[in-house]
Amino acid sequence: MKAEIVSTGTELLLGETLNTSTHYLTGKLSSLGIEVDYHTTVGDNPDRLEQVLRQAIERSDLIVTTGGLGPTIDDLTKELVAKVLDLKMEIDSASLEQIKQFFGRRKAPMPSSNEKQAFFPTGSKILPNPIGTAPGAVITKDNKTVVILPGPPFEMQPMFDNYVWPELEQMIGLHVVRMKERVLKVFGIGESAIEKVLYDLMNLPNLTMALLAKRAEMHIRLVARSTEIMSGEANKALDQVEEEIRRRLGNKVFGRDQETMVSIVGRTLNNKNLTISTAESCTGGLLGAALTQEPGSSKFYLGGVVSYSNSLKQGLLGVSEKNLKAFGAVSEEVAKEMAFGIRSKTGSDLAISTTGIAGPDGGSDEKPVGLVYIGFATAKGVHAEKFQFYGERESVRQLTVQAALNGVRLIC
């Protein structure tokens, strides 16, 4: 099955909105064994959208559209799909009632323009949208399938997962070759070093491996292809290679697939009933923000201090003036005092501190941009680790957060 993704919206063409939906849908379709041959983006122009749809239906078996399902006059995806497929538009009473209830829950009258969102090409299989007012649809005619999805990713993704995925699984059957994917996440070793360690595993006959560099970590993407009937063999191959990678890279592998560094740290702290606090300088609150991204973070994160200035390091955290003068704010000694100070203030089991030179200015030969010290304080004592990061300011800050969280992971 050959597929094409058609994204509508002038804001996508102008670069005002990042088209994350195409990335998401391509990954999902590929994992089903559906080959995505084309990505097409078109603005809110009916003539050009019609032209794009006609071209897509001529050359692809499956067309997935996103956007153009709103109540305004330039939202014409459904109408143009109906025109291209030579179908009439008809109202779906269940969808209209759902839209009315959407406004009713907000105690607001439904604008008359929203009624158009309940009209669909004849024969459409309606896809409910409990989050918004734009239902989707699946239309099949002459061995062509068109899936119509809303534009906002927070509406599109659950609609695809809950309704479109099962529909496509049924269409392709059990004998189509699919991709079984697994992603191992790594911190503390670069792309070249990983390649050197894993070189002999990168050209296996039944599995492909790709190294993907992210801002603050590396991903190792493993893919095995198999039919659904033979998926057990693919999973076995993935398991064997993952085990070998973990053996070679050790604790530098911190997670898999949807796991993140902060989710792993949060889970570990929760499971061990440990609390944590933060004292930040160069990260300016990013570390605390990362920890509070996790649902239930109030169980383990007590709070923190952003002590950007030396006076606050002294006044709030008890950093000594002597060490600040002798070693400077960016030093092992100050990082240790910051961690000790915030742990004493909050009574947390574990405390982390960050101090460094994020750049682009402020560096010197002795202390270059990217130099960071991270302090750790526990009941067993206090220590600090030195890092030399590279890249622009935001990369240094994000790497510092990741290194701090990784330190917590290893301590716990």
Side-chain angles (χ1 to χ4, degrees):
M1 183 180 284
K2 307 289 186 178
E4 180 164 351
I5 299 170
V6 176
S7 307
T8 68
T10 302
E11 71 281 0
L12 299 176
L13 277 180
L14 296 177
E16 295 173 353
T17 301
L18 185 64
N19 191 353
T20 58
S21 295
T22 295
H23 170 79
Y24 177 84
L25 290 169
T26 301
K28 289 287 187 176
L29 293 173
S30 298
S31 66
L32 280 170
I34 298 173
E35 183 179 327
V36 180
D37 288 341
Y38 302 99
H39 292 166
T40 307
T41 303
V42 59
D44 298 314
N45 179 287
D47 294 334
R48 287 194 284 271
L49 178 53
E50 180 182 344
Q51 181 183 359
V52 163
L53 288 171
R54 289 191 184 280
Q55 182 183 50
I57 287 170
E58 182 179 342
R59 67 189 180 185
S60 303
D61 308 304
L62 171 67
I63 299 92
V64 182
T65 74
T66 62
L69 304 186
T72 59
I73 57 173
D74 62 346
D75 291 309
L76 294 171
T77 299
K78 289 182 296 183
E79 289 81 355
L80 291 172
V81 167
K83 181 180 179 180
V84 169
L85 293 177
D86 195 23
L87 297 170
K88 294 181 178 180
M89 293 288 287
E90 59 183 23
I91 195 166
D92 178 65
S93 56
S95 294
L96 181 60
E97 183 58 31
Q98 242 184 3
I99 295 168
K100 288 179 178 178
Q101 290 176 6
F102 179 91
F103 284 96
R105 288 192 296 271
R106 285 153 180 76
K107 303 194 183 316
M110 186 189 84
S112 58
S113 59
N114 283 89
E115 187 172 321
K116 79 186 287 284
Q117 294 182 292
F119 280 82
F120 296 89
T122 303
S124 295
K125 182 171 185 176
I126 311 301
L127 308 175
N129 184 354
I131 301 172
T133 61
V138 178
I139 306 132
T140 302
K141 185 180 179 183
D142 299 330
N143 294 320
K144 303 285 186 174
T145 299
V146 181
V147 177
I148 299 172
L149 298 171
F154 64 88
E155 295 182 28
M156 183 278 295
Q157 291 183 13
M159 186 180 291
F160 183 91
D161 292 344
N162 294 331
Y163 303 108
V164 181
W165 178 280
E167 190 82 11
L168 294 176
E169 272 198 314
Q170 190 173 359
M171 286 173 60
I172 64 176
L174 300 176
H175 299 281
V176 172
V177 175
R178 305 186 187 189
M179 288 197 313
K180 295 285 185 180
E181 180 181 294
R182 189 171 299 178
V183 177
L184 301 181
K185 298 182 177 181
V186 179
F187 183 79
I189 183 172
E191 185 174 1
S192 299
I194 293 175
E195 184 180 46
K196 186 176 181 180
V197 174
L198 304 181
Y199 185 78
D200 59 307
L201 302 178
M202 300 185 75
N203 294 292
L204 297 175
N206 59 341
L207 185 144
T208 60
M209 181 189 304
L211 305 182
L212 309 173
K214 303 297 180 179
R215 172 171 261 172
E217 60 195 47
M218 286 294 303
H219 289 183
I220 303 172
R221 182 172 177 262
L222 308 174
V223 176
R225 296 179 181 272
S226 74
T227 64
E228 190 64 15
I229 292 174
M230 299 295 292
S231 63
E233 291 299 313
N235 288 330
K236 182 179 178 182
L238 289 170
D239 289 341
Q240 289 174 342
V241 174
E242 178 182 349
E243 183 180 354
E244 181 61 17
I245 290 172
R246 287 181 180 273
R247 187 188 71 78
R248 296 186 190 186
L249 295 182
N251 61 17
K252 288 181 171 58
V253 179
F254 69 85
R256 190 175 101 174
D257 295 335
Q258 302 306 312
E259 290 180 321
T260 63
M261 185 75 81
V262 71
S263 71
I264 291 167
V265 168
R267 184 172 67 234
T268 302
L269 292 171
N270 260 330
N271 290 344
K272 296 189 174 183
N273 293 314
L274 296 174
T275 56
I276 193 169
S277 59
T278 56
E280 302 181 62
S281 184
C282 63
T283 48
L286 288 178
L287 181 55
L291 288 165
T292 54
Q293 284 176 2
E294 283 303 291
S297 56
S298 59
K299 294 179 182 177
F300 59 82
Y301 183 55
L302 299 186
V305 166
V306 178
S307 53
Y308 219 61
S309 69
N310 285 352
S311 60
L312 285 185
K313 289 181 178 69
Q314 290 179 263
L316 293 179
L317 299 173
V319 175
S320 68
E321 184 179 3
K322 176 184 175 182
N323 279 340
L324 284 167
K325 287 182 176 179
F327 304 106
V330 181
S331 63
E332 177 184 353
E333 290 76 11
V334 168
K336 289 165 67 174
E337 284 195 307
M338 288 173 66
F340 179 84
I342 194 64
R343 182 171 183 267
S344 299
K345 290 279 187 183
T346 62
S348 61
D349 298 303
L350 171 66
I352 328 173
S353 67
T354 63
T355 180
I357 305 169
D361 304 317
S364 65
D365 291 340
E366 184 183 352
K367 295 185 178 182
V369 169
L371 175 65
V372 171
Y373 289 91
I374 301 175
F376 301 90
T378 68
K380 295 180 179 179
V382 185
H383 75 280
E385 297 180 18
K386 178 183 177 181
F387 297 86
Q388 181 61 59
F389 298 126
Y390 298 94
E392 37 79 38
R393 180 179 179 83
E394 191 56 27
S395 290
V396 171
R397 282 153 50 89
Q398 293 293 344
L399 283 164
T400 302
V401 169
Q402 197 78 337
L405 293 172
N406 189 57
V408 175
R409 176 181 72 94
L410 297 176
I411 288 172
C412 292

